[in-house]
């Protein structure tokens, strides 16, 4: 299980990660909210621990940013702020738990394990969040983000993007795309697939140095940062 910690107290951060790693977790530590958000755009974690009072972007705003594209990954706020109003603000932003400093590490461990147990039954083999480089696809919410910015897609554009992403870098032919996205509702000799690929490129790739949607001449299309 991978945990990402947002905590600007260097000593506490190091001690927390050491404790979690001794209990069979991996723990990455980040010291400011801006770097934290960059980290989650490119990496997948099972749980987030967020201090509130950190540099650049505070933990509550980070929590809100996470929930804009990820409704499922558990979030625990760890903060010296113990007022009811502070806790209310955190839960309003859809945090799952709130622990006031100072706390015993064992209590934190109990809360982490409880949240992960609750999360496990709802998981399925059908991945809800797909991350490729700085592209995030939320299948449940039908939302797409690149570099943190939401990209508006039509239903068919979204379905085409998901199909390409789920191929995991493999090349898919025009015939395969029509079978899975359009369900044979048009003749494969038409240029509909090419038109929609171009629509996606304009929205997903045009303003970014790293291009994700590629053509393999004579074979089809694939989605990859390479």
């Amino acid at each position: 299980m991978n945990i990402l910690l947002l905590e600007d107290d260097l000593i506490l951060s190091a001690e927390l990660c050491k404790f979690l790693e001794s209990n069979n977790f991996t723990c990455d530590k980040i010291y400011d909210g801006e770097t934290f958000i960059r980290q989650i755009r490119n990496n997948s974690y099972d749980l987030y621990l967020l201090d509130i009072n950190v540099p650049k972007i505070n933990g509550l705003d980070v929590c809100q940013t996470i929930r804009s594209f990820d409704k499922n990954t558990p979030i625990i706020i760890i903060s010296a702020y113990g007022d009811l109003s502070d806790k209310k603000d955190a839960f309003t932003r859809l945090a799952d738990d709130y622990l006031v400093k100072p706390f015993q590490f064992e209590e934190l461990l109990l809360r982490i394990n409880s949240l992960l147990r609750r999360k496990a039954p709802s998981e399925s083999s059908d991945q809800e969040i797909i991350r490729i480089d700085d592209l995030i696809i939320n299948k449940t919410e039908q939302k797409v983000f690149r570099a943190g910015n939401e990209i508006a897609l039509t239903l068919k554009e979204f379905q085409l993007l998901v199909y390409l992403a789920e191929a995991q870098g493999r090349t898919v032919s025009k015939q395969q795309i029509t079978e899975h996205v359009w369900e044979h509702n048009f003749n494969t000799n038409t240029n509909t697939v090419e038109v929609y690929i171009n629509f996606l490129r304009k929205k997903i790739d045009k303003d970014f140095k790293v291009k994700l949607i590629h053509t393999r001449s004579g074979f089809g299309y694939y989605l990859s940062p390479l």
Side-chain angles (χ1 to χ4, degrees):
M1 289 291 182
N2 303 315
I3 294 177
L4 186 59
L5 169 66
L6 176 61
E7 171 60 69
D8 66 334
D9 183 321
L10 302 185
I11 295 176
L12 177 59
S13 179
E15 290 178 347
L16 265 176
C17 278
K18 183 178 179 181
F19 171 78
L20 292 169
E21 288 165 355
S22 71
N23 284 276
N24 300 316
F25 293 96
T26 62
C27 180
D28 294 335
K29 47 187 181 292
I30 302 292
Y31 306 114
D32 69 85
E34 188 176 283
T35 304
F36 189 97
I37 290 173
R38 286 202 302 270
Q39 180 79 358
I40 64 176
R41 287 171 183 160
N42 298 316
N43 299 276
S44 179
Y45 291 91
D46 299 293
L47 185 139
Y48 300 115
L49 295 175
L50 309 178
D51 186 15
I52 293 178
N53 189 21
V54 295
K56 297 185 179 179
I57 302 175
N58 70 61
L60 293 178
D61 288 340
V62 169
C63 179
Q64 188 169 337
T65 297
I66 294 170
R67 288 297 182 239
S68 70
F69 62 84
D70 179 357
K71 298 293 191 293
N72 300 312
T73 303
I75 298 173
I76 300 178
I77 302 294
I78 51 173
S79 174
Y81 302 144
D83 292 344
L84 181 59
S85 61
D86 297 312
K87 296 178 182 179
K88 182 178 179 181
D89 197 3
F91 287 117
T92 298
R93 301 184 195 221
L94 303 182
D96 295 284
D97 204 347
Y98 194 109
L99 195 55
V100 179
K101 299 177 183 178
F103 54 83
Q104 294 185 25
F105 286 4
E106 288 291 341
E107 181 179 359
L108 175 63
L109 181 62
L110 290 172
R111 296 186 184 217
I112 289 173
N113 287 330
S114 176
L115 284 172
L116 292 176
R117 280 196 303 271
R118 273 185 267 162
K119 178 190 175 189
S122 65
E123 293 180 341
S124 67
S125 59
D126 192 19
Q127 189 181 18
E128 294 180 346
I129 304 291
I130 302 174
R131 291 179 173 87
I132 300 174
D133 198 63
D134 59 354
L135 177 72
I136 296 173
I137 305 170
N138 187 319
K139 292 170 59 179
T140 303
E141 301 292 328
Q142 293 192 345
K143 291 184 177 181
V144 175
F145 301 83
R146 185 149 191 203
N149 299 309
E150 186 170 0
I151 299 172
L153 300 180
T154 67
L155 178 59
K156 283 301 176 190
E157 289 169 350
F158 181 80
Q159 291 172 339
L160 174 57
L161 181 65
V162 169
Y163 183 62
L164 291 172
E166 290 182 335
Q168 298 181 333
R170 298 187 304 274
T171 301
V172 292
S173 68
K174 185 194 298 185
Q175 179 68 35
Q176 289 172 313
I177 291 173
T178 61
E179 289 175 358
H180 288 84
V181 179
W182 277 273
E183 299 178 350
H184 294 290
N185 287 333
F186 67 88
N187 191 316
T188 55
N189 292 324
T190 70
N191 67 342
T192 303
V193 172
E194 291 93 332
V195 169
Y196 272 82
I197 288 289
N198 286 333
F199 287 161
L200 277 185
R201 281 178 167 146
K202 288 177 181 178
K203 294 182 177 182
I204 300 296
D205 280 345
K206 182 179 178 182
D207 297 326
F208 298 91
K209 182 178 179 180
V210 175
K211 307 304 179 186
L212 299 178
I213 302 170
H214 307 279
T215 301
R216 188 180 176 199
S217 183
F219 292 92
Y221 305 94
Y222 65 98
L223 197 155
S224 171
L226 303 177

